[in-house]
Amino acid sequence: MFKGIFIEKDEAGYRAAVSDIDEAQLPAGDVTVRVSHSTLNYKDGLAITGRGPVVRKFPMVPGIDLVGTVETSSHADYKAGDRVLLNGWGVGEGHWGGLAQKARLNGDWLVPLPEAFTPQQAMAIGTAGYTAMLCVLALEKHGVTPEQGEIVVTGAAGGVGSVAVTVLAKLGYRVVAVSGRPAEADYLKNLGAVEVLDRAAFSAPGKPLARERWAGAVDVVGSHTLANVCASTQYRGVVTACGLAGGMDFPATVAPFILRGVTLAGIDSVMCPRADRLVAWQRLGRDLDLGKLGLITHEIGLAEAIPTATRLLDGEVRGRVVVDVNV
Ligand code: NDP
């Protein structure tokens, strides 16, 4: 038996609880991992609370991220004792995930734990941080450099936002953070933001084109915020869109794209090819200040993950949450 968060949905309703789970119930896979840590991402919040339809099969163990040690493996790339990391691939949505002491997985989904990080640090980064790096890589790929001007990061005090601010500042960009929490202004400046703007200035319907300000953007909010960011992006600037914390809609016009040559780059971490993941993790090893990662992160145990999921969706959690699944 092992402990894990177990989500059930039946006539009695939708519920998540820490349960004792029989190892015989683990899903099929060629690598069994003794999990040490997982995390809470926005999607885990949706899965645990049932507020969004991210769980596709019941019962489900949530947790889109995990780090741990291989216990048994019939996959050619892994043997018992290897330290591994997993982000995404539908784990915690359609296949049992990381918020448990054990997981059985397809070895193709795993990557070796990067040497730059302890297991806790890898989970402090997690899907949120690796997605932030995918956004940075997309800005670079489309030619955005620090000389071109400011980069705006929305939802900045959340997980993706905090890592994006930290990495971009270290790379020499002038980062403007957008947050609904004025109390986190000092936190965001400590991470490297030069200015913090109130998200209210972005969340209402705006004009098709506004004053050109941003050379680039990392948007985790969607909806009017993404539309307003596109409308205020400079000629040939680049907006990376990865989230929907403010809504899944995109009430925009094509004006920024056809009149200013703005590029809207979509970012997906879940099915991102392995080669790109390896680049993102390698760049995190180089471009993320681990001292700042400590400021971004706090650690909780498995049982606390359930109430924390609600707080995360309510926008009350700062930065990243690491879950020690053995506490
Ligand atoms: P967090 O909950 O940690 O951060 C989201 C932040 O968005 C909040 O902290 C808050 O920041 C802001 N926010 C919350 N609600 C609203 C709202 N109604 N309107 C405007 N801003 C709001 O989540 P993550 O950082 O883990 O994820 C952020 C988003 O990115 C989510 O939508 C998630 O699903 C998505 N995501 C997508 C991935 C992909 O592969 N495309 C991968 C990872 C995440 P503040 O208080 O500073 O305003």
Side-chain angles (χ1 to χ4, degrees):
M1 303 293 279
F2 64 94
K3 285 204 184 306
I5 295 181
F6 208 57
I7 301 177
E8 292 173 279
K9 187 186 175 191
D10 51 29
E11 318 75 57
Y14 191 105
R15 57 200 182 277
V18 176
S19 304
D20 289 311
I21 305 169
D22 188 344
E23 212 174 313
Q25 285 183 269
L26 279 169
D30 50 9
V31 181
T32 303
V33 177
R34 202 163 52 245
V35 180
S36 72
H37 298 81
S38 183
T39 81
L40 275 187
N41 295 278
Y42 194 86
K43 200 181 257 178
D44 301 314
L46 294 175
I48 290 171
T49 60
R51 273 201 219 170
V54 298
V55 175
R56 297 195 300 273
K57 276 206 288 221
F58 296 90
M60 179 56 56
V61 173
I64 66 171
D65 288 320
L66 65 85
V67 67
T69 307
V70 172
E71 201 170 75
T72 57
S73 167
S74 57
H75 189 284
D77 294 347
Y78 298 100
K79 59 179 188 323
D82 288 347
R83 297 215 291 184
V84 290
L85 169 67
L86 177 136
N87 310 109
W89 294 118
V91 170
E93 301 178 62
H95 185 102
W96 285 12
L99 283 162
Q101 293 168 326
K102 282 215 179 153
R104 185 165 298 140
L105 305 149
N106 178 342
D108 293 342
W109 299 336
L110 298 169
V111 297
L113 175 67
E115 277 180 17
F117 305 116
T118 65
Q120 288 94 327
Q121 286 168 338
M123 288 295 96
I125 296 166
T127 286
Y130 137 69
T131 301
M133 183 49 90
L134 292 177
C135 293
V136 173
L137 291 169
L139 293 174
E140 291 180 350
K141 181 176 158 198
H142 290 285
V144 179
T145 61
E147 297 69 42
Q148 288 167 358
E150 295 169 314
I151 309 292
V152 65
V153 177
T154 63
V160 175
S162 294
V163 177
V165 169
T166 307
V167 169
L168 287 163
K170 181 163 178 208
L171 289 170
Y173 291 93
R174 278 179 62 80
V175 183
V176 176
V178 176
S179 176
R181 288 179 272 180
E184 300 301 354
D186 285 344
Y187 162 76
L188 290 165
K189 286 185 177 162
N190 272 337
L191 299 185
V194 293
E195 191 181 347
V196 180
L197 300 178
D198 186 343
R199 79 174 180 215
F202 290 78
S203 53
K207 294 185 193 150
L209 289 173
R211 182 173 73 82
E212 293 178 54
R213 180 158 182 192
W214 319 115
V218 174
D219 179 65
V220 312
V221 174
S223 193
H224 291 297
T225 299
L226 176 58
N228 287 325
V229 164
C230 291
S232 52
T233 295
Q234 289 174 16
Y235 189 76
R236 290 208 152 189
V238 181
V239 177
T240 58
C242 72
L244 44 58
M248 191 139 98
D249 58 333
F250 182 39
T253 77
V254 296
F257 313 114
I258 64 171
L259 298 177
R260 291 184 180 161
V262 168
T263 296
L264 180 57
I267 303 298
D268 169 60
S269 64
V270 180
M271 303 306 289
C272 175
R274 183 183 166 85
D276 294 5
R277 290 168 186 256
L278 293 173
V279 170
W281 277 99
Q282 186 246 329
R283 284 289 304 273
L284 283 159
R286 195 186 87 186
D287 298 325
L288 177 63
D289 180 334
L290 291 181
K292 300 245 164 93
L293 186 63
L295 287 180
I296 292 175
T297 312
H298 74 280
E299 191 167 308
I300 61 174
L302 207 49
E304 219 184 319
I306 295 174
T308 307
T310 302
R311 291 185 45 240
L312 185 125
L313 294 186
D314 291 343
E316 291 169 12
V317 172
R318 181 175 95 178
R320 296 279 303 137
V321 181
V322 172
V323 182
D324 182 339
V325 299
N326 296 299
V327 169

